[in-house]
Amino acid sequence: MTHSHRVRRPRPWTSLLHVALVGWGVIVTLPLVWAVMSSFKADRDILTSPWSLPDRLHGENWVRAWTEASIGRYFLNSAVVVGSAVVLTMLFGAMVAYVLARYRFPGSRLIYYLFIAGMAFPLFLALVPLFFVVRSLGLLGTPLGLILVYTAYALPFTVFFLTSFFRTLPTSVAEAAFLDGCSHSGVFFRVMLPMAKPGLISVGIFNFLGLWNQYLLPLALNPEESEFVLAQGLAVLAVRQGYASDWSGLFAGLTISMLPVLAAYVVFQRRITSGLTAGAVR
Amino acid sequence: MRHRRLPFIAGFLVLPLTLYAVLVLSPYAQAFYLALTDWRGVSARAEFVGADNFARLLDDPQVLGALKNNAVMLLVVPIATVVLALFLAAALSLGRRRGAGVYRVVYFFPQLLSVAVVGVLFQFVYTPNSGLLNGVLNLLGIEGRSWLGDPSLALWAVMAVVVWSAVGFYVVLFCAAMESIPREILEAAAIDGASALTRLIRVVLPLVWENVQVAFIYLGMAALDGFAIVQIMTVGPGGPDNATEVLGLTLYRNAFTYGKFGYASALGVALFFLTLALAVLVLRGSRRDRVEMA
């Protein structure tokens, strides 16, 4: 009678577990929902009660945050800097990883370990000299400077991840392409890169969110307010709107900066989760 | 196939390697030298002072205060996060619960928010009069507090935010590990009369131990950092009364506010050795025999 012990007795702890699961869900979502709701409220309603629903949808908060508080500009700055940095990281990372994974040449181990070593050091250690290197290159406070720095610091993990990925790909297709007279770089761009797409997407998502999240580097290297990225802009906005008590504008700014990411997540949920956890389970 | 091989290799490596050497390797190397000087940013004037900076670190009350706060975070954040995540992951993946996927998606949300968003958001969640937290507490009949204004609460408020934003990631990580455990092992333990808690600690935990180790290293590094969230969220930042000062903040302030670049570099070197020691400690201290799954 294998069936008998599968009959479920009502167990008190299953419902307790359920309460815990729902409870954590509420703890996670409540602050987010509250921020979105407050972004539609008038200032006085925000101050009187955190619970009241908006009397009407105050869309003007969003307009004010986007234009007057420059959230729109910071958003675009972030998109340009992070977008370019991710593209450059993927290109450079894939080139290095491919060469290291598929070619034997003197010094290849050394180069590989130089990149791996970059993952062991805390960013804070490099911060002071980095500031002066970037300044002496004339790149301080420029988007190009941030793009190059972001790329350089995203390379170690990208190279590490993609090197092992390229090693897993079969060699036969590349060899056939060589026999057909394809050049080395032709094989890379036309054969290997398309084959490596799943790995590229995982590490690309990982890099995008990591760099979008970056706060220390722009704070130190990007002091010009017109060039601020979103993270800097939000932090400054929080201080400034606090003085101006434009709470609704602040919540609108917050909502504008979190909704696109959450929306993208809901759509590409599986890809994003596996891309991010790929960093931990290698 | 061998012709023009070396030019191709060199061509692919030269740009990435140059970028990496100039912006990553050279700053890291320079930091170790700068730490031994009294450099204040003016190029000609850098005296070699040996280990002086390091001796002064140990006398600096702000550094010691920051070190204490980082130590508290190092004790609290990883343990709280891992215990919560293990519990939630076990509840989700072992009970064959319907809708487990939805929970996982929701739990993962905070991982996607940039640290600036989280910092600003919680600054207002903690606001005494109109904040969400005191609003909830009032509803329950509990009197609210000034979470970030009270030196005895501020660090805990900061740690709660770090845990809040980290748990979801580890739930997903642990869920994946737990789902790869063969059902027969758990069923066998259940038939032998092991309670749910015993099964979790004696059977599941050893089988996901490698993931727990990874979690401890990552969370430990996050606890040694804490810069962004503290810089954005706390008064001062680092206050009130140095209650939330962290080493990264002390470093940043010494470098970019006081211009003590040599001293800040010494702090960076100290931070590096702390991180290294932590990784070695976790890997050594928590070593267990690998459990092979049938």
Side-chain angles (χ1 to χ4, degrees):
Chain A
M1 285 276 282
T2 48
H3 204 72
S4 65
H5 75 267
R6 283 186 185 276
V7 176
R8 287 209 165 192
R9 284 167 290 132
R11 286 168 298 187
W13 53 266
T14 22
S15 47
L16 266 177
L17 279 186
H18 204 87
V19 170
L21 287 173
V22 174
W24 187 256
V26 170
I27 290 174
V28 165
T29 44
L30 197 59
L32 307 179
V33 172
W34 174 68
V36 174
M37 205 176 71
S38 300
S39 77
F40 289 111
K41 285 161 74 166
D43 280 320
R44 54 187 153 76
D45 296 335
I46 292 178
L47 289 174
T48 44
S49 162
W51 297 115
S52 63
L53 287 169
D55 52 351
R56 61 179 177 84
L57 291 184
H58 291 264
E60 71 273 13
N61 296 340
W62 286 51
V63 177
R64 208 166 56 243
W66 183 263
T67 54
E68 274 174 50
S70 310
I71 284 293
R73 171 197 286 266
Y74 301 146
F75 201 99
L76 292 180
N77 286 347
S78 266
V80 168
V81 168
V82 175
S84 318
V86 168
V87 170
L88 200 59
T89 306
M90 303 312 293
L91 180 68
F92 279 5
M95 282 160 61
V96 172
Y98 175 66
V99 168
L100 291 178
R102 287 307 179 90
Y103 292 84
R104 282 173 180 276
F105 58 96
S108 67
R109 298 303 291 169
L110 175 70
I111 292 175
Y112 179 71
Y113 283 118
L114 277 180
F115 277 108
I116 299 302
M119 294 195 292
F121 293 87
L123 191 50
F124 278 108
L125 179 58
L127 195 63
V128 169
L130 179 65
F131 174 81
F132 288 99
V133 169
V134 171
R135 196 175 72 169
S136 66
L137 292 173
L139 293 172
L140 202 65
T142 64
L144 180 65
L146 266 195
I147 292 170
L148 293 178
V149 170
Y150 278 12
T151 304
Y153 282 85
L155 272 180
F157 177 74
T158 310
V159 168
F160 170 75
F161 186 93
L162 289 179
T163 302
S164 55
F165 194 83
F166 275 121
R167 285 204 180 114
T168 63
L169 294 179
T171 51
S172 50
V173 186
E175 272 159 17
F178 278 125
L179 289 180
D180 286 348
C182 210
S183 68
H184 286 282
S185 53
V187 168
F188 172 71
F189 284 109
R190 286 201 224 120
V191 179
M192 296 311 282
L193 268 193
M195 281 171 77
K197 212 171 135 196
L200 290 174
I201 290 176
S202 288
V203 78
I205 289 170
F206 183 85
N207 281 330
F208 185 88
L209 285 171
L211 295 177
W212 188 263
N213 209 1
Q214 186 52 250
Y215 182 66
L216 177 62
L217 285 175
L219 197 64
L221 304 176
N222 192 28
E224 209 64 59
E225 196 165 330
S226 61
E227 302 295 343
F228 270 7
V229 294
L230 195 55
Q232 291 173 287
L234 265 184
V236 168
L237 184 71
V239 175
R240 200 168 293 158
Q241 305 301 81
Y243 287 126
S245 33
D246 179 9
W247 306 105
S248 55
L250 179 69
F251 280 112
L254 261 181
T255 307
I256 291 172
S257 24
M258 64 187 193
L259 276 193
V261 193
L262 288 186
Y265 173 60
V266 171
V267 178
F268 301 111
Q269 182 253 328
R270 244 165 236 290
R271 275 253 157 91
I272 292 182
T273 320
S274 64
L276 281 183
T277 43
V281 240
R282 9 202 194 245
Chain B
M1 176 172 159
R2 294 195 63 84
H3 70 293
R4 285 186 306 201
R5 203 171 144 269
L6 277 177
F8 163 74
I9 293 173
F12 260 35
L13 287 178
V14 64
L15 274 180
L17 259 184
T18 311
L19 185 74
Y20 185 65
V22 171
L23 291 177
V24 180
L25 294 178
S26 110
Y28 278 133
Q30 286 179 52
F32 286 98
Y33 171 72
L34 277 184
L36 304 174
T37 70
D38 66 352
W39 199 45
R40 305 197 57 135
V42 191
S43 51
R45 286 194 42 227
E47 292 288 331
F48 187 81
V49 294
D52 268 16
N53 285 330
F54 293 95
R56 274 167 53 215
L57 280 181
L58 297 172
D59 279 332
D60 186 335
Q62 202 155 50
V63 170
L64 296 178
L67 194 61
K68 201 198 93 203
N69 291 337
N70 276 120
V72 173
M73 285 171 75
L74 196 55
L75 281 178
V76 175
V77 169
I79 292 179
T81 310
V82 166
V83 167
L84 246 173
L86 275 175
F87 171 75
L88 293 170
L92 280 179
S93 62
L94 303 178
R96 282 184 192 165
R97 190 172 293 278
R98 264 180 304 154
V102 178
Y103 284 108
R104 245 177 288 176
V105 171
V106 170
Y107 290 179
F108 204 74
F109 276 168
Q111 187 64 33
L112 301 156
L113 304 177
S114 87
V115 66
V117 169
V118 173
V120 172
L121 177 62
F122 273 87
Q123 199 182 347
F124 291 93
V125 167
Y126 285 137
T127 302
N129 294 321
S130 53
L132 178 67
L133 181 56
N134 283 352
V136 172
L137 291 178
N138 286 342
L139 219 62
L140 301 171
I142 304 168
E143 197 173 336
R145 311 280 287 269
S146 171
W147 300 100
L148 293 170
D150 183 338
S152 63
L153 292 175
L155 187 62
W156 294 93
V158 169
M159 290 192 292
V161 176
V162 178
V163 173
W164 179 86
S165 58
V167 163
F169 177 81
Y170 294 100
V171 169
V172 171
L173 191 66
F174 294 155
C175 268
M178 286 179 186
E179 270 154 17
S180 67
I181 299 174
R183 312 292 307 182
E184 301 83 61
I185 295 183
L186 293 169
E187 278 166 16
I191 291 169
D192 286 349
S195 71
L197 192 66
T198 318
R199 269 177 285 159
L200 182 60
I201 293 172
R202 290 292 185 76
V203 182
V204 175
L205 194 56
L207 290 174
V208 298
W209 191 249
E210 274 185 24
N211 296 76
V212 173
Q213 255 186 348
V214 170
F216 272 124
I217 292 181
Y218 278 87
L219 287 164
M221 284 178 169
L224 280 181
D225 180 353
F227 170 80
I229 201 86
V230 165
Q231 207 269 353
I232 293 169
M233 206 170 73
T234 64
V235 283
D241 215 10
N242 278 346
T244 56
E245 182 77 18
V246 287
L247 288 169
L249 197 59
T250 318
L251 187 158
Y252 191 89
R253 195 184 293 119
N254 270 297
F256 296 106
T257 310
Y258 306 150
K260 295 181 185 171
F261 293 106
Y263 189 60
S265 298
L267 199 46
V269 171
L271 205 54
F272 162 65
F273 282 111
L274 279 179
T275 316
L276 201 65
L278 171 85
V280 172
L281 216 70
V282 171
L283 290 175
R284 281 276 170 94
S286 62
R287 185 180 292 164
R288 287 194 178 188
D289 294 328
R290 261 188 85 109
V291 188
E292 295 293 340
M293 280 184 265

